Amino acid sequence: MVDMLRDGQTTGAATAMSPSAVEPAVGVADETSGRTVLRLDQVDKRYPGVHAIKSVSLSVREGQIHALVGQNGAGKSTLVGIAAGSVHADSGTVEIDGESTQSPTPTWCRERGLAIVYQEPALLPDLTVAENMRLGMPVHARPAIGDQIAWAEEILARWSSVASIDARTPVRELRPDARFVVEIARALAERPKVIVLDEPTEHLLPPAVAELFTLIAEHTAAGGAVVYISHRLNEVKQIADTVSVLRDGALVGSFDAEDVTEQDVVNLVVGRELDRTFTRVTGADRIMGEELFAVTDLSGKRFDGIDLTVRAGEIVGFAGVEGQGQRDVLRALGGLGGHSGTVRVGDRTIDPSSPAAALHGGVAYLTHDRHVEGVLSGLSLRENASLSALGRISTAGVVSRMRERKLTGETFRSMRVKAPNDEVDIATLSGGNQQKVVLSRVLLSDSDVILADEPTQGVDIGAREEIYSILRKAAAAGKAIVVLSSSAAELEQLCDRVLVFSRGQIARELVGDDVNEHAIAQAALSATHSREKAGTGTGRVNFWHRMSRSDLTPGAILLIATIILGIIAATQSDTYLTGRNFSLVLPLLATLAFFAIAQQVVMMIGGIDLSVGPLAGLLVVVASFILSAYRTPVGMILGVIVLVVVAAVVGAVNWSLITVVRINPLIATLVTFTALQGLALLMRPLPAGQIDPFFLSYVSGVWGFVPVMAVVAIVVAVVLEYCLFRTTFGIKLRATGSAGPTAERNGVRTRWVTLGAYVGCSVLIVPAAILLMVQSGTGNASIGDSYTLASIGAAVLGGASIFGGRGSFIGAFLGAVLVTQINTVVQFLGLPLYWQQWLLGGLTIVAAAFYSKSRTLTERS
């Protein structure tokens, strides 16, 4: 095979190694055995400036593991995204289990038996593990919502020896390895005809990898098929039956795995003969300087008494079984973990209390979780890379675009970043190219010390060697470098010394000839007799821990604040706790509560509706026309239906501006705000018209001193809270706000969920407008204007996130209660009206700070 590849170089790599140019005798996979469960036929995909997939045809047969390999940017993830329906091809056909289509969707693919584990898990951070697992299942295989926790725990029990994960835990609190376990467990639970695994072992620990391979073998033995994408050729050779190679978007060929060596595959991947033999360059071959980085008695939550020195030009490795404290030490030195002790860079003592402080002190940290901590989505490659070098490319705070482009351009070329240009969004790049850009940011900081946490995670063979070379060059330039890697072979190739961790301490130091793969692995395994499970990010939590991270926690805080204010008012005035006072205050509370609940609906998807106030005014004006003539119950019902239709139309207009026209929600609803206000004033320039008194008396009924509409507001809040967590639409609403693109991958039609949210918000303004009619009795166009900001404030007080995915309708109601209580108590205490704003603002800051701090502490723990 290798000889044939060498001969082919004279006629061009692409031609020489095309399927037609390689004889079956030397490795072309036999496509005739077994039933085909996945077929891609002439699939083609272009992006601006990039021909990502070039008329690829590929077949996957039942009972087999079909490996797909290639360099970063070769098109692997794009191809499987097309197969899974998350990427739309320009042309071509996808066939799953005999059914074909040219326009697959995630739901269509899932229902026909294809499951996929993406390189970045398609999990919604604000949903629990159980909710994520259920949402990702085909409709026919989903358990009842009430049974989802027990169902998820049963599936995760298979992984209990390597992962301890509470099904009630929000995914945002899981460590990266635990997220991958959840994603893989969910996909296998579907019992799909074909499962696609895109770099599944990048974040898994060795025990979890072994468990995965066991489950894959069971899946194929039962007649299922696996498409396995990996840069780890030893894994490919270990488990694959067929190997297909992609290069520059084209299929080079498909080969029987037993007929090709790792070297053959490497040569196919890169398109040339690549010598993988590596001569280690150590400190003995370089000139080392004085001690540059020194750590004394460093202690933290999972480590203690760490002493470490690194000389200029030296590369020191961190090794050990995962969970022994090595990553915690590295993150603490990078400013991402609490610690005590002394850290020196050169002759300066620094305090890496934050990433910014560490960077200022000359320490740059490369994260192992680029998706969460490394990549700045929405910014270009140039902006991502130059962020740490702004001081070098600016004068008096003004960035020189010429210097920036030159600096980043040279770095990208040296690292062979594959992208149409430096201005494209980094999110459009493959995972390996994103890793190169994040690494370039670290290098451009020109720090004295570089802390590299899994520097080659998710990159291909060729790029891995390039990163090794870059780190060696940085060391040769006088940098002190610390590398943490789960690969003993990688540490052997890079490091001058290796420190092996056990139970939070340095158990052994390897130097000289002892820095080899066998010795490193042996030291890691013999240095500890106990190991943490993968993904022990949470485990079981007690009641108080769960309450501290609950979306109801802010509401509980507000309730306590409301009671305290009530006690203060009651001690100062005998009329506070009277039926007359409550009969005056509760209608105002009910009005604001409906506004806050309505606002909470759109805030769940990350939007804010500025038009709610003018919409209420418009509805009051419309009512002054249509509810003045009707005096029968049927007439009143018809009038209310008209108001609901008007509100729904306004919600649909907001949705169209945001989703179809793609205007920012704030701008879109501000446009609607102005239009509704103008229309209402056009209809009633001054308050006029009388709303039917019989209708007003009917809707303003009371039970004792409690208005009926106040009770209705409580019922609506409780019902919506239940729906938010116990109905399919509620879970989809939270999923859309948590991570819209990921929700799409899970089959959620976010466009229609967004439509439901904006229409629902507008319809919930109808009862608020009816209460305003009771207050005015006439058509008043501006009566609702003051409620826009008040509704947002109440919802935020109740725990709503402006980014979506989190919030509580009960919390929004209690936010309205607190705002109303503040306004009432200020009057009873005889304080100036500005005290309303002071109290409201102060309590908002205190509540938000407490809630944010408690959630941060929970997530860190």
Side-chain angles (χ1 to χ4, degrees):
M1 180 70 177
V2 176
D3 292 337
M4 175 170 283
L5 294 177
R6 286 171 179 162
D7 295 339
Q9 297 301 313
T10 60
T11 59
T15 302
M17 289 177 284
S18 66
S20 60
V22 182
E23 295 298 324
V26 291
V28 174
D30 179 10
E31 299 285 351
T32 61
S33 62
R35 185 172 64 91
T36 297
V37 290
L38 172 65
R39 188 191 306 276
L40 303 176
D41 186 26
Q42 295 297 306
V43 172
D44 200 272
K45 177 66 177 177
R46 291 178 183 269
Y47 292 106
V50 178
H51 196 172
I53 300 295
K54 303 172 182 176
S55 298
V56 171
S57 295
L58 189 70
S59 295
V60 178
R61 303 189 303 281
E62 64 181 357
Q64 292 205 342
I65 301 173
H66 194 124
L68 191 61
V69 298
Q71 296 191 75
N72 294 122
K76 305 182 301 297
S77 296
T78 302
L79 187 65
V80 297
I82 292 171
S86 60
V87 177
H88 299 289
D90 298 330
S91 62
T93 302
V94 175
E95 178 186 307
I96 302 174
D97 198 32
E99 297 186 51
S100 63
T101 180
Q102 292 183 334
S103 302
T105 65
T107 300
W108 184 89
C109 296
R110 186 179 296 111
E111 295 296 333
R112 278 148 190 82
L114 185 143
I116 183 168
V117 175
Y118 291 96
Q119 191 172 351
E120 179 182 358
L123 300 176
L124 289 310
D126 296 304
L127 270 61
T128 65
V129 168
E131 289 171 332
N132 269 281
M133 293 179 68
R134 179 186 178 277
L135 187 64
M137 297 293 287
V139 175
H140 69 271
R142 290 176 182 171
I145 293 177
D147 300 330
Q148 64 185 5
I149 293 177
W151 167 80
E153 288 178 340
E154 182 180 353
I155 293 170
L156 292 170
R158 177 64 189 267
W159 296 82
S160 60
S161 62
V162 295
S164 178
I165 301 170
D166 188 345
R168 294 166 292 184
T169 302
V171 164
R172 65 176 177 268
E173 297 181 16
L174 297 181
R175 284 171 22 182
D177 52 357
R179 293 200 295 267
F180 273 85
V181 168
V182 170
E183 179 79 327
I184 294 169
R186 176 181 72 174
L188 288 168
E190 297 181 31
R191 301 188 184 280
K193 295 179 177 65
V194 56
I195 181 171
V196 179
L197 302 173
D198 190 353
E199 300 287 357
T201 64
E202 282 299 317
H203 289 277
L204 296 181
L205 307 181
V209 173
E211 180 66 23
L212 172 63
F213 287 175
T214 300
L215 291 171
I216 288 175
E218 292 176 1
H219 180 69
T220 53
V226 175
V227 176
Y228 191 86
I229 302 174
S230 180
H231 291 125
R232 300 178 184 268
L233 295 186
N234 61 325
E235 294 178 358
V236 170
K237 286 292 293 178
Q238 179 182 345
I239 67 171
D241 300 300
T242 302
V243 179
S244 288
V245 180
L246 280 181
R247 187 170 68 249
D248 296 329
L251 180 66
V252 174
S254 296
F255 310 92
D256 286 327
E258 62 183 16
D259 293 333
V260 290
T261 66
E262 282 192 34
Q263 185 66 56
D264 294 334
V265 177
V266 171
N267 295 339
L268 287 163
V269 165
V270 300
R272 66 184 187 277
E273 188 86 27
L274 180 64
D275 184 9
R276 300 185 75 205
T277 304
F278 178 78
T279 302
R280 188 161 71 93
V281 179
T282 66
D285 304 297
R286 296 192 305 268
I287 299 176
M288 288 194 185
E290 299 294 327
E291 178 183 290
L292 181 59
F293 187 47
V295 177
T296 305
D297 197 25
L298 189 75
S299 299
K301 187 174 182 179
R302 296 184 180 88
F303 55 91
D304 179 63
I306 303 297
D307 293 323
L308 164 71
T309 61
V310 186
R311 297 167 64 186
E314 187 179 22
I315 303 178
V316 173
F318 279 8
V321 173
E322 180 67 23
Q324 300 303 313
Q326 63 269 38
R327 177 160 288 120
D328 304 287
V329 170
L330 201 72
R331 290 177 66 81
L333 294 173
L336 289 165
H339 63 276
S340 62
T342 304
V343 180
R344 287 192 301 106
V345 176
D347 57 359
R348 296 175 293 115
T349 298
I350 69 167
D351 178 19
S353 56
S354 68
L359 195 63
H360 181 71
V363 178
Y365 171 74
L366 174 68
T367 179
H368 73 292
D369 191 358
R370 66 171 175 269
H371 300 298
V372 176
E373 298 177 343
V375 170
L376 302 172
S377 297
L379 298 184
S380 68
L381 277 62
R382 170 182 53 79
E383 292 167 318
N384 266 272
S386 65
L387 188 63
S388 63
L390 294 178
R392 298 169 57 193
I393 58 176
S394 62
T395 303
V398 178
V399 174
S400 169
R401 185 59 57 85
M402 182 180 297
R403 274 186 283 172
E404 182 185 29
R405 285 177 173 166
K406 180 181 179 181
L407 192 64
T408 57
E410 290 174 350
T411 304
F412 293 157
R413 284 190 293 274
S414 68
M415 299 185 72
R416 300 185 184 179
V417 175
K418 291 184 179 180
N421 56 68
D422 297 351
E423 302 303 318
V424 299
D425 188 339
I426 192 173
T428 63
L429 269 61
S430 65
N433 282 300
Q434 289 180 3
Q435 180 76 353
K436 291 181 185 180
V437 175
V438 175
L439 177 57
S440 70
R441 181 195 306 156
V442 171
L443 296 174
L444 288 173
S445 68
D446 199 26
S447 299
D448 294 322
V449 180
I450 295 175
L451 310 176
D453 193 345
E454 302 286 0
T456 63
Q457 185 167 266
V459 304
D460 60 61
I461 306 156
R464 194 172 300 151
E465 296 292 342
E466 292 165 5
I467 291 176
Y468 293 163
S469 177
I470 290 167
L471 290 174
R472 290 189 207 101
K473 288 179 181 177
K479 309 293 184 184
I481 299 177
V482 180
V483 174
L484 187 155
S485 177
S486 57
S487 170
E490 182 164 277
L491 294 175
E492 176 188 355
Q493 293 187 17
L494 271 175
C495 300
D496 305 307
R497 287 187 291 133
V498 173
L499 306 178
V500 182
F501 281 72
S502 175
R503 299 178 183 179
Q505 296 184 328
I506 298 174
R508 188 171 176 186
E509 180 180 15
L510 302 178
V511 297
D513 294 337
D514 288 336
V515 181
N516 61 74
E517 184 176 0
H518 180 269
I520 293 170
Q522 184 180 42
L525 293 174
S526 62
T528 179
H529 300 289
S530 65
R531 63 194 297 166
E532 292 187 19
K533 294 179 181 179
T536 53
T538 53
R540 296 288 176 181
V541 294
N542 60 35
F543 172 79
W544 293 110
H545 188 186
R546 190 174 298 113
M547 282 301 298
S548 70
R549 71 189 184 199
S550 169
D551 288 333
L552 291 174
T553 301
I557 296 172
L558 300 185
L559 184 59
I560 293 171
T562 300
I563 293 172
I564 293 173
L565 287 174
I567 293 173
I568 294 173
T571 60
Q572 299 298 314
S573 173
D574 295 334
T575 59
Y576 176 78
L577 295 176
T578 62
R580 175 175 174 78
N581 177 49
F582 288 135
S583 66
L584 294 173
V585 171
L586 291 180
L588 301 177
L589 165 61
T591 305
L592 179 56
F594 278 114
F595 273 103
I597 292 169
Q599 194 69 251
Q600 178 66 74
V601 176
V602 294
M603 293 188 77
M604 286 305 306
I605 61 170
I608 291 179
D609 191 347
L610 298 179
S611 68
V612 292
L615 172 59
L618 176 65
L619 293 176
V620 171
V621 168
V622 172
S624 71
F625 288 99
I626 66 172
L627 289 178
S628 62
Y630 302 117
R631 299 181 183 279
T632 64
V634 174
M636 289 188 292
I637 292 173
L638 291 175
V640 172
I641 290 175
V642 171
L643 295 180
V644 171
V645 171
V646 171
V649 169
V650 172
V653 169
N654 279 332
W655 171 80
S656 298
L657 293 174
I658 294 166
T659 305
V660 180
V661 185
R662 297 186 179 276
I663 300 176
N664 180 276
L666 282 175
I667 304 301
T669 55
L670 182 59
V671 170
T672 312
F673 176 110
T674 306
L676 293 177
Q677 201 170 50
L679 180 60
L681 289 171
L682 180 64
M683 296 172 66
R684 295 289 192 193
L686 296 173
Q690 185 178 20
I691 300 173
D692 186 2
F694 177 75
F695 172 77
L696 297 180
S697 64
Y698 187 82
V699 298
S700 61
V702 295
W703 292 337
F705 59 80
V706 179
V708 173
M709 293 297 284
V711 177
V712 172
I714 295 174
V715 171
V716 169
V718 172
V719 169
L720 289 178
E721 187 77 14
Y722 175 87
C723 292
L724 191 61
F725 294 93
R726 300 302 295 271
T727 68
T728 299
F729 182 80
I731 293 173
K732 289 180 178 179
L733 188 74
R734 291 163 52 219
T736 300
S738 182
T742 302
E744 287 277 356
R745 287 182 175 182
N746 281 278
V748 177
R749 298 182 177 180
T750 57
R751 287 168 61 91
W752 305 120
V753 173
T754 303
L755 174 62
Y758 276 97
V759 170
C761 171
S762 295
V763 169
L764 282 169
I765 296 300
V766 173
I770 290 174
L771 287 169
L772 291 177
M773 295 174 202
V774 175
Q775 296 177 29
S776 66
T778 61
N780 186 340
S782 60
I783 192 170
D785 291 357
S786 63
Y787 284 92
T788 295
L789 294 181
S791 68
I792 297 171
V796 171
L797 271 172
S801 168
I802 62 173
F803 302 108
R806 306 182 196 177
S808 164
F809 290 103
I810 293 176
F813 178 86
L814 292 173
V817 170
L818 180 61
V819 172
T820 305
Q821 176 77 307
I822 289 173
N823 294 338
T824 303
V825 169
V826 165
Q827 295 180 36
F828 271 95
L829 297 180
L831 298 174
L833 289 181
Y834 57 74
W835 271 92
Q836 292 181 358
Q837 306 303 320
W838 285 8
L839 283 173
L840 180 58
L843 287 174
T844 300
I845 293 172
V846 171
F850 180 83
Y851 175 50
S852 176
K853 187 66 174 179
S854 64
R855 171 157 281 171
T856 299
L857 291 175
T858 299
E859 292 180 5
R860 285 182 177 178
S861 67

